[in-house]
Amino acid sequence: VEGRQLRQYGKRDYVTDVLRDAALAFVADTPRRRPLFLYLSMRAPHGPTEPDKRDAGSFAGAEVERDAAFNEEDIGDKPADVRDRPLLKPGPLDDLEAQRLETLASADRAFADVLDALEQAGRLDGAYV
């Protein structure tokens, strides 16, 4: 876009916060009389799962749901490559689940901040979220 400069971020910049800040600035900078369309999509909980420092460890002990599909006993109806795989190990999967949940905590805060910004701008009524 003309007049815009590429901005680089470092390791100290948490991507969810960067996206939130850009969304908040967009809401604040768009005149009320102009229509506003904001598409905000977070990377969380997709990998790599790195939670914000504020949330690291907050879901320690979380477990992946262990329903009938978890290490399903009868996989005779599955393709050979599935049948040949080793059973899932709960520990690493549980750790990944905890990290995913921790990344979602910052995404929840970011979306709450955007909703607050829309309300403060008088744009929440009639908004599709």
Side-chain angles (χ1 to χ4, degrees):
V1 177
E2 190 175 321
R4 302 252 176 137
Q5 291 183 342
L6 180 64
R7 181 171 177 190
Q8 293 186 356
Y9 295 91
K11 291 186 179 210
R12 294 183 184 187
D13 297 304
Y14 191 64
V15 68
T16 301
D17 294 340
V18 170
L19 294 172
R20 178 208 55 219
D21 293 348
L24 295 176
F26 182 71
V27 171
D29 295 345
T30 303
R32 180 130 164 62
R33 66 187 178 284
R34 290 190 62 196
L36 182 140
F37 177 82
L38 170 66
Y39 181 88
L40 179 59
S41 177
M42 301 297 184
R43 186 176 77 187
H46 307 294
T49 52
E50 290 184 37
D52 187 316
K53 291 175 186 168
R54 295 175 286 181
D55 302 311
S58 60
F59 281 90
E63 293 183 347
V64 171
E65 185 175 347
R66 287 163 172 76
D67 59 12
F70 189 87
N71 286 332
E72 183 181 349
E73 288 184 34
D74 181 10
I75 57 171
D77 61 334
K78 305 295 187 273
D81 67 317
V82 172
R83 292 191 310 266
D84 293 340
R85 291 181 191 165
L87 293 176
L88 298 172
K89 295 182 181 178
L93 286 177
D94 292 336
D95 293 343
L96 180 60
E97 181 72 358
Q99 290 174 338
R100 286 177 177 160
L101 293 169
E102 290 163 3
T103 64
L104 286 171
S106 61
D108 285 348
R109 283 192 303 273
F111 284 114
D113 291 346
V114 170
L115 290 174
D116 288 344
L118 289 169
E119 184 173 39
Q120 289 173 5
R123 292 179 171 268
L124 191 56
D125 270 355
Y128 289 95
V129 179

